[in-house]
């Protein structure tokens, strides 16, 4: 959801029962600090500048939360984003005006596309200078309007406290998303009585929580009689904290389950009911089941282009579709559905499971057995096979070894590209919020700052970022932040000396014209890591993969950069090419 009128929402907020003029007088910057403390904020990632110096002065005086100085504003938002994805709490970033906020735009758009709860505080020039082309002025509200759930420009310090309360409320309710609060410098310095409400309701903003019982009954009737049922789940399961309810629902039915890239971990990846990830680089069995199901239930997913491929091809096999989501705008947006259910996924799944139990045994046992027999035939394709005997370091082997050595218990971040797909395919996620990546926007450079944010939240857990030599250079300056704030993350760089996914598309679609995809001037990553005060490792042989990973895990208090020299021509299979249907998969080079 994207709303554009801060003034409208502000005018519709219920008036607190206690007068806003009864609190102690303080400057706007101090109000902000008190509000962050009241919201339980633990960390703020940011970078100072002239427009936010009153705020930084107040941060200096307090000890309720920790401010973490990043080396680039984009990384501030990514780190707060990673923290939010892993914890489910609101991530907070603080940037200055002008280039500070424009540098943050990529991070804000990344969080918006994946519906991540965040509050971004930006400074602005004084109110009297807004619109005058002042030094480091930018139209923050205008620039960010398309990439936030909501934004506010605070023109009067008397409105600041309530605006901050609204920001946190909007960010974490309904379909989550980033909310930006733009604070001019004179507002951060002005004084007013401070009152921060404990609760807030907004007449114009009331997301539906409870699903329509009649629609749920229709869905249950379809599920009971389905011959080829399929449970398709997305990132909404993670965001809605509905993984336990999904597990109970799927266990009761015994139906096959797939996750999108953003939904991995929402259902146990090691379960025999799990068919793997679906979509462009999904498994053969997951995509075939998606296309040939007769009753499809989509839960917290949005039928995006990377999942269903060509919409015409997807529609060529008729099926009944049940779609559950908290955001009504995504239902029937790309695919027409038969039973729409708007509501909180946890609440809807609980009611649906209760109705299924009350209805008694399923009526489709024989048909379901035949459906599973067909799925198991598709599984025999072994679509994720690769040359396990090769002595060249295969990226799939590295990820498999990482899963084995961590027991699936680590936090795994990724950047964007081939390495991201291999991580999604070969690391089996049994728990939600352990797989942190940029799905919707596909932002290179997120991996290291994501890992920083997660390590702050879970200092006793192993946090790995799987990256490539292209992506890691986007925010590599944050190795300095890791050193300053003692966030010992582990970097697994699958270095194939190419922008790998670009190279793969150029091989398949552009007749091997590798235009600007070859990285022919790479740094010595071991020396670079050491220059920042960290441990660097170069791994060139398959035999050295496991020892390197073991050593990195052993070094609990050090950031470790592992530069794995992988096969430069390895491709991600399966693959659905642009414009193709999801069953029109390439399964390997032998098919080209």
């Amino acid at each position: 959801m994207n709303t554009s009128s801060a003034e409208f929402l502000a005018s519709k907020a219920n008036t607190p029962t206690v007068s806003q003029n009864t609190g102690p007088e303080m400057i706007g910057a101090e109000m902000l600090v008190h509000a962050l403390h009241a919201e339980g904020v633990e960390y703020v990632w940011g970078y100072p500048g002239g427009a936010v110096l009153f705020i930084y002065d107040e941060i200096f005086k307090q000890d309720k939360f920790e401010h973490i100085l990043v080396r680039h504003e984009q990384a501030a938002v990514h780190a707060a984003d990673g923290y939010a994805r892993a914890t489910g709490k609101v991530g907070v970033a603080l940037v200055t005006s002008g280039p500070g906020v424009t540098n943050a735009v990529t991070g804000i758009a990344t969080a918006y596309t994946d519906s991540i709860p965040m509050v971004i505080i930006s400074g602005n020039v004084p109110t009297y200078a807004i619109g005058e082309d002042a030094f480091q002025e930018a139209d923050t509200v205008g620039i960010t309007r398309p990439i936030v759930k909501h934004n506010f420009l605070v023109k009067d310090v008397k409105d600041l406290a309530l605006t901050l309360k609204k920001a946190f409320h909007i960010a974490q309710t309904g379909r989550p998303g980033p909310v930006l609060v733009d604070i001019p410098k004179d507002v951060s310095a002005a004084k007013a009585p401070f009152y921060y409400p404990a609760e807030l309701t907004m007449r114009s903003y009331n997301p539906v929580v409870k699903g329509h019982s009649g629609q749920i009954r229709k869905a249950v009737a379809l599920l009971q009689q389905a011959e080829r049922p399929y449970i398709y789940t997305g990132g909404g399961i993670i965001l809605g904290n509905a993984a336990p309810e999904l597990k109970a629902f799927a266990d009761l039915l015994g139906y096959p389950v797939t996750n999108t890239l953003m939904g991995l971990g929402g259902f146990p990846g090691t379960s025999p009911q799990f068919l793997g990830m679906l979509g462009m680089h999904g498994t053969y069995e997951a995509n075939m089941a998606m296309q040939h199901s007769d009753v499809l239930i989509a839960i917290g997913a949005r039928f995006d282009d990377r999942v269903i491929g060509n919409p015409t091809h997807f529609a060529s096999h008729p099926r009944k579709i049940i779609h559950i989501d908290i955001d009504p705008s995504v239902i029937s947006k790309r695919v027409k559905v038969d039973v729409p259910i708007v509501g909180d996924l946890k609440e809807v799944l609980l009611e649906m499971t209760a109705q299924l139990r009350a209805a008694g045994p399923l009526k489709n046992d024989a048909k379901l057995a035949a459906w599973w027999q067909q799925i198991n035939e598709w599984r025999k394709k072994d679509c994720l096979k690769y040359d396990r005997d090769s002595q060249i370091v295969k990226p799939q082997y590295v990820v498999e070894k990482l899963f084995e050595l961590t027991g699936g218990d680590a936090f795994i971040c990724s950047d964007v590209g081939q390495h991201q797909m291999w991580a999604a395919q070969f690391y089996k996620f049994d728990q939600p919020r352990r797989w942190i990546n940029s799905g919707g926007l596909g932002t290179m450079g997120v991996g290291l700052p994501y890992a920083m944010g997660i390590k702050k939240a879970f200092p006793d857990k192993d946090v790995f970022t799987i990256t490539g030599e292209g992506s890691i250079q986007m925010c590599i300056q944050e190795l300095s932040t890791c050193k300053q704030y003692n966030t010992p993350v582990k970097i697994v760089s699958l270095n194939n000396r190419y922008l790998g996914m670009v190279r793969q598309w150029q091989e398949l679609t552009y007749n091997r014209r590798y235009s600007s995809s070859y990285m022919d001037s790479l740094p010595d990553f071991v020396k670079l890591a050491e220059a920042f005060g960290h441990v660097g490792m170069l791994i060139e042989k398959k035999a050295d993969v496991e020892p390197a990973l073991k050593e990195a895990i052993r070094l609990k208090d050090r950031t470790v950069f592992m530069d794995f020299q992988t096969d430069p021509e390895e491709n991600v299979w399966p693959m659905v090419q642009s414009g193709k249907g999801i069953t029109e998969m390439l399964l390997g080079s032998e098919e080209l």
Side-chain angles (χ1 to χ4, degrees), residues 147-287:
I147 56 167
V148 292
K149 186 176 179 183
H150 194 66
N151 59 22
F152 298 91
L153 171 60
V154 184
K155 297 181 179 179
D156 189 326
V157 70
K158 297 184 185 71
D159 300 328
L160 179 57
L162 187 57
T163 299
L164 291 166
K165 185 67 182 179
K166 291 177 194 174
F168 276 89
H169 176 68
I170 294 167
Q172 60 193 318
T173 53
R175 182 179 180 177
V179 178
L180 182 136
V181 181
D182 197 32
I183 307 176
K185 187 170 184 177
D186 58 330
V187 172
S188 68
K191 284 188 175 183
F194 174 73
Y195 168 74
Y196 200 71
E199 301 292 337
L200 179 71
T201 58
M202 302 175 70
R203 289 191 297 272
S204 61
Y205 174 69
N206 287 292
V208 174
V209 174
K210 188 171 177 60
H212 190 281
S213 291
Q215 292 295 89
I216 292 175
R217 283 194 296 272
K218 289 180 185 177
V220 166
L222 281 175
L223 289 167
Q224 281 186 302
Q225 300 179 33
E227 297 183 359
R228 301 183 306 280
Y230 201 32
I231 302 171
Y232 152 53
T233 71
I237 289 289
I238 311 292
L239 297 168
N241 297 311
E245 289 73 23
L246 172 63
K247 180 73 163 56
F249 174 74
D251 285 351
L252 177 64
L253 290 168
Y255 292 173
V257 182
T258 186
N259 291 151
T260 65
L261 177 71
M262 295 305 299
L264 292 174
F267 187 79
T270 56
S271 168
Q273 283 176 250
F274 185 60
L275 305 194
M277 180 179 73
L278 84 166
M280 177 175 280
H281 294 292
T283 66
Y284 183 78
E285 55 267 29
N287 283 355

Side-chain angles (χ1 to χ4, degrees), residues 407-426:
D409 191 43
F411 285 90
I412 304 296
C413 312
S414 85
D415 273 299
V416 171
Q418 287 180 315
H419 56 271
Q420 177 188 24
M421 296 300 111
W422 285 316
Q425 291 174 335
F426 289 93

Side-chain angles (χ1 to χ4, degrees), residues 2 29 44 92 101 113 117 163 181 211 239 248 260 276 280 370 422 492 535 576:
N2 179 28
V44 174
V92 180
V101 76
T113 310
T163 299
V181 181
L239 297 168
T260 65
M280 177 175 280
W422 285 316
V492 175
V535 175
V576 178

Side-chain angles (χ1 to χ4, degrees), residues 232-477:
Y232 152 53
T233 71
I237 289 289
I238 311 292
L239 297 168
N241 297 311
E245 289 73 23
L246 172 63
K247 180 73 163 56
F249 174 74
D251 285 351
L252 177 64
L253 290 168
Y255 292 173
V257 182
T258 186
N259 291 151
T260 65
L261 177 71
M262 295 305 299
L264 292 174
F267 187 79
T270 56
S271 168
Q273 283 176 250
F274 185 60
L275 305 194
M277 180 179 73
L278 84 166
M280 177 175 280
H281 294 292
T283 66
Y284 183 78
E285 55 267 29
N287 283 355
M288 293 297 286
M290 183 75 163
Q291 186 69 351
H292 295 287
S293 61
D294 72 330
V295 174
L296 175 66
I297 179 167
I299 309 173
R302 55 189 179 90
F303 293 92
D304 71 272
D305 58 302
R306 291 297 175 102
V307 166
I308 67 166
N310 185 315
T312 303
H313 176 275
F314 182 73
S316 65
H317 283 254
R319 59 182 77 73
K320 294 293 184 182
I321 300 177
I322 304 158
H323 193 176
I324 311 169
D325 205 284
I326 198 162
D327 182 0
S329 74
V330 304
I331 296 180
S332 288
K333 183 176 183 178
R334 300 197 75 244
V335 171
K336 188 178 185 302
V337 305
D338 300 281
V339 184
I341 303 173
V342 178
D344 179 86
L345 300 187
K346 183 187 288 282
E347 297 294 327
V348 173
L349 284 171
L350 283 171
E351 183 172 349
M352 192 172 285
T353 303
Q355 286 194 22
L356 282 165
R357 287 199 175 103
L362 297 172
K363 303 173 178 62
N364 59 354
D365 284 353
K367 295 292 187 180
L368 183 60
W371 179 228
W372 271 113
Q373 184 177 357
Q374 173 62 77
I375 288 169
N376 289 328
E377 286 298 313
W378 288 329
R379 278 173 161 165
K380 290 179 182 178
K381 279 280 189 181
D382 190 18
C383 64
L384 298 182
K385 65 184 178 184
Y386 65 94
D387 185 2
R388 297 176 184 277
D389 296 325
S390 172
Q391 293 309 300
I392 301 173
V393 177
K394 292 290 185 178
Q396 303 96 318
Y397 178 76
V398 177
V399 178
E400 283 186 323
K401 275 297 171 187
L402 180 60
F403 172 70
E404 176 187 318
L405 294 173
T406 60
D409 191 43
F411 285 90
I412 304 296
C413 312
S414 85
D415 273 299
V416 171
Q418 287 180 315
H419 56 271
Q420 177 188 24
M421 296 300 111
W422 285 316
Q425 291 174 335
F426 289 93
Y427 199 100
K428 308 303 179 186
F429 296 95
D430 280 343
Q431 302 175 62
R433 300 190 184 278
R434 293 302 182 92
W435 165 237
I436 313 296
N437 79 118
S438 168
L441 198 65
T443 306
M444 293 174 69
V446 297
L448 180 54
Y450 275 175
M452 289 171 8
I454 296 163
K455 190 64 178 178
K456 272 296 181 183
F458 299 98
D460 297 327
K461 288 290 187 180
D462 288 325
V463 181
F464 286 83
T465 186
I466 297 175
T467 186
E469 77 290 341
S471 283
I472 192 62
Q473 293 187 82
M474 294 278 187
C475 283
I476 202 165
Q477 73 284 341

Side-chain angles (χ1 to χ4, degrees), residues 46-183:
Y47 203 97
V52 289
L53 287 185
F54 284 109
I55 296 171
Y56 271 88
D57 192 48
E58 293 300 326
I59 289 174
F60 182 84
K61 299 173 185 176
Q62 61 84 47
D63 60 1
K64 304 300 183 184
F65 57 83
E66 183 180 3
H67 177 273
I68 298 165
L69 173 66
V70 296
R71 276 35 178 185
H72 192 285
E73 290 89 352
Q74 178 178 339
V77 184
H78 288 331
D81 180 355
Y83 170 90
R85 291 175 194 247
T87 64
K89 302 175 183 177
V90 177
V92 180
L94 171 60
V95 298
T96 194
S97 64
V101 76
T102 57
N103 281 345
V105 161
T106 297
I108 298 169
T110 301
Y112 176 69
T113 310
D114 289 342
S115 303
I116 306 304
M118 292 185 60
V119 170
I120 299 94
I121 310 297
S122 61
N124 208 332
V125 299
T127 53
Y128 58 81
I130 292 175
E132 300 295 327
D133 296 329
F135 176 68
Q136 291 193 332
E137 181 191 358
D139 179 6
T140 299
V141 169
I143 289 169
T144 61
R145 183 174 287 121
I147 56 167
V148 292
K149 186 176 179 183
H150 194 66
N151 59 22
F152 298 91
L153 171 60
V154 184
K155 297 181 179 179
D156 189 326
V157 70
K158 297 184 185 71
D159 300 328
L160 179 57
L162 187 57
T163 299
L164 291 166
K165 185 67 182 179
K166 291 177 194 174
F168 276 89
H169 176 68
I170 294 167
Q172 60 193 318
T173 53
R175 182 179 180 177
V179 178
L180 182 136
V181 181
D182 197 32
I183 307 176

Side-chain angles (χ1 to χ4, degrees), residues 455-456 481-488 556-559:
K455 190 64 178 178
K456 272 296 181 183
T481 309
C482 290
K483 179 68 174 177
Q484 180 174 349
Y485 294 95
N486 189 29
T487 49
K556 297 294 183 187
D557 61 344
R558 300 293 301 276
T559 289

